Amino acid sequence: MSTLKIPTAKVFEPLLAPARYKGAHGGRGSGKSHFFGGLLVETCQAERGTLAVCIREAQRTLAQSSRRLIESKIGSLGLGNGFKLFNDKIETPGDGLIIFRGMQGYTFKAVITVIVTGFVGAVLLGVKVMLGK
C-alpha cells in the first residue's frame, strides 16, 4: 500500500489536525478550495466509505460546483482507479459518495435538512458561502 504525500501550504497546516469543524476565510485565489478539495480526496481515499456533501451558495448548475476541482485533484494524485465520476456525483472507494448541491432559493437550514435527511451518516459537509458587506 502506498502513502499519499500531498504538499500543504503552511497557512493550511493547522487545518490538518483533527477537529469537528474546520473553516477558512480569505480572498479570491487564496487556495481555500484547492486545499479543501485535496483534503476531501485524501480523506475519501484513506477512510473508505466516506460520505460528503459539497454545497455552494451561488450554484445554479453543476458546472458552477466544486466537482471539476475535485475531479482534477483525483487525477493529479493518480487516484482515478478508486473513484467513479458521474455527471452529478462521485463514487469514492468503499461505497462512499460525494454529492453537490446549491443553496440558491433555500435557506441554509432548509438545505441542511434536505441533505441530512437523504444523506444520513455524511461525515463531511463542505459549504462555500460568499458573504456580503
Side-chain angles (χ1 to χ4, degrees):
M1 176 170 208
S2 62
T3 302
L4 281 178
K5 295 191 184 215
I6 302 172
T8 301
K10 194 155 194 73
V11 69
F12 294 117
E13 286 179 0
L15 295 171
L16 296 174
R20 183 170 184 175
Y21 303 107
K22 297 182 183 192
H25 67 89
R28 290 176 56 116
S30 61
K32 300 176 303 293
S33 294
H34 283 274
F35 169 75
F36 282 109
L39 184 62
L40 174 59
V41 171
E42 180 181 7
T43 301
C44 290
Q45 179 66 23
E47 300 174 23
R48 304 295 171 122
T50 295
L51 301 174
V53 181
C54 296
I55 300 173
R56 185 173 175 156
E57 180 185 28
Q59 174 186 317
R60 289 194 172 96
T61 67
L62 281 171
Q64 296 173 333
S65 75
S66 53
R67 190 184 98 225
R68 187 171 16 180
L69 183 135
I70 292 170
E71 288 175 355
S72 74
K73 294 293 178 187
I74 292 167
S76 68
L77 294 170
L79 299 174
N81 294 350
F83 292 78
K84 294 180 186 170
L85 309 177
F86 295 93
N87 286 336
D88 59 342
K89 64 186 176 189
I90 298 174
E91 290 182 358
T92 67
D95 293 327
L97 188 66
I98 303 170
I99 62 172
F100 305 89
R101 296 291 183 265
M103 285 180 55
Q104 212 64 17
Y106 296 99
T107 65
F108 183 76
K109 184 176 179 181
V111 169
I112 299 304
T113 302
V114 167
I115 289 168
V116 170
T117 55
F119 213 56
V120 175
V123 296
L124 296 172
L125 171 66
V127 181
K128 186 170 185 174
V129 179
M130 294 168 281
L131 302 174
K133 299 214 181 225

